[in-house]
């Protein structure tokens, strides 16, 4: 009989809400990474097609020039959501070292609640912006500008959801100090 690794055994013993939060966090993280990578690849391929077409025909396709306007906001918001999910945004660590575990847990919970509420409100404002811009279209592709502004809804909503996930993690984890420790390979 083989014993399973301690981390796997701990994860199976974790409260159901923590397991759900971890699964939701992983889904948010992977989704944001997929959106970011797909955006940058599509931008690159579209601009490369434009360059190749201009090289061989001295005439452009036209539509590739609109692709960065449509997809760059998605690339940026995907990165922001990944940073929020992984706790990789700028933080002040000096103050945290003066707090005991319970005080730190309350501070981190309060911050996550404040950020979640703020970004949920911003997501609702993004819906208004999308409504305003849906009639405006790009001249060549005829795609609505609301597509680009939808990235705001994704970003703001993703950050709010990440904060809810992190709130559950803060409330149920054993040690809030190790919640967002950066892996060693990302420190250099």
């Amino acid at each position: 009989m083989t014993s399973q690794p301690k981390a796997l055994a701990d994860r199976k013993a974790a409260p159901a809400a923590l397991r759900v939060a971890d699964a939701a966090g992983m889904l948010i993280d992977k989704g944001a990474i997929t959106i970011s990578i797909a955006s940058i690849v599509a931008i690159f391929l579209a601009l490369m097609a434009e360059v190749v077409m201009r090289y061989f025909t001295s005439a452009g396709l036209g539509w590739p020039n609109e692709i960065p306007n449509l997809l760059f906001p998605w690339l940026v918001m995907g990165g922001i959501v990944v940073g929020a999910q992984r706790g990789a945004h700028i933080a002040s660590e000096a103050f945290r070292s003066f707090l005991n575990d319970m005080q730190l847990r309350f501070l981190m919970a309060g911050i996550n609640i404040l950020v979640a509420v703020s970004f949920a409100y911003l997501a609702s404002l993004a819906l208004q912006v999308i409504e305003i811009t849906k009639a405006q279209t790009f001249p060549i592709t005829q795609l609505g500008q609301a597509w680009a502004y939808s990235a705001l809804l994704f970003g703001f909503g993703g950050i709010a959801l990440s904060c809810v996930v992190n709130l559950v993690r803060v409330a149920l984890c054993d040690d809030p100090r190790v919640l967002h420790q950066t892996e060693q390979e990302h420190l250099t």
Side-chain angles (χ1 to χ4, degrees):
M1 179 187 294
T2 61
S3 65
Q4 54 189 346
K6 182 172 175 17
L8 183 59
D10 289 345
R11 176 164 248 115
K12 286 183 179 180
L18 187 56
R19 290 193 311 266
V20 169
D22 285 342
M26 187 174 67
L27 184 65
I28 292 168
D29 189 66
K30 299 299 181 203
I33 289 171
T34 301
I35 286 171
S36 294
I37 290 172
S39 297
I40 200 163
V41 167
I43 290 169
F44 175 78
L45 292 175
L47 293 177
M48 182 57 79
E50 179 74 4
V51 168
V52 168
M53 184 61 107
R54 283 189 185 275
Y55 181 76
F56 286 115
T57 67
S58 298
L61 296 170
W63 63 266
N65 296 325
E66 293 179 358
I67 297 301
N69 294 335
L70 288 164
L71 295 180
F72 189 72
W74 288 92
L75 171 64
V76 171
M77 284 301 187
I80 290 171
V81 170
V82 168
Q85 181 58 38
R86 295 181 181 185
H89 289 297
I90 296 173
S92 174
E93 299 295 322
F95 182 69
R96 292 173 51 155
S97 65
F98 295 118
L99 302 176
N100 65 33
D101 285 352
M102 187 56 70
Q103 291 169 331
L104 180 59
R105 192 179 305 273
F106 280 119
L107 174 67
M108 292 175 72
I111 289 170
N112 278 302
I113 290 169
L114 179 65
V115 172
V117 169
S118 300
F119 278 89
Y121 174 69
L122 288 173
S124 72
L125 293 178
L127 286 171
Q128 294 173 14
V129 171
I130 292 167
E131 185 65 30
I132 292 167
T133 60
K134 72 179 182 182
Q136 301 168 350
T137 60
F138 287 97
I140 298 172
T141 60
Q142 293 301 307
L143 291 172
Q145 289 188 8
W147 172 257
Y149 286 103
S150 296
L152 294 174
L153 180 61
F154 165 73
F156 297 153
I159 291 170
L161 288 174
S162 291
C163 287
V164 170
V165 166
N166 289 332
L167 178 62
V168 172
R169 288 176 174 163
V170 165
L172 299 176
C173 70
D174 292 332
D175 184 4
R177 295 184 193 287
V178 297
L179 194 60
H180 287 301
Q181 286 189 339
T182 306
E183 297 92 13
Q184 286 297 328
E185 69 260 12
H186 296 133
L187 290 176
T188 58

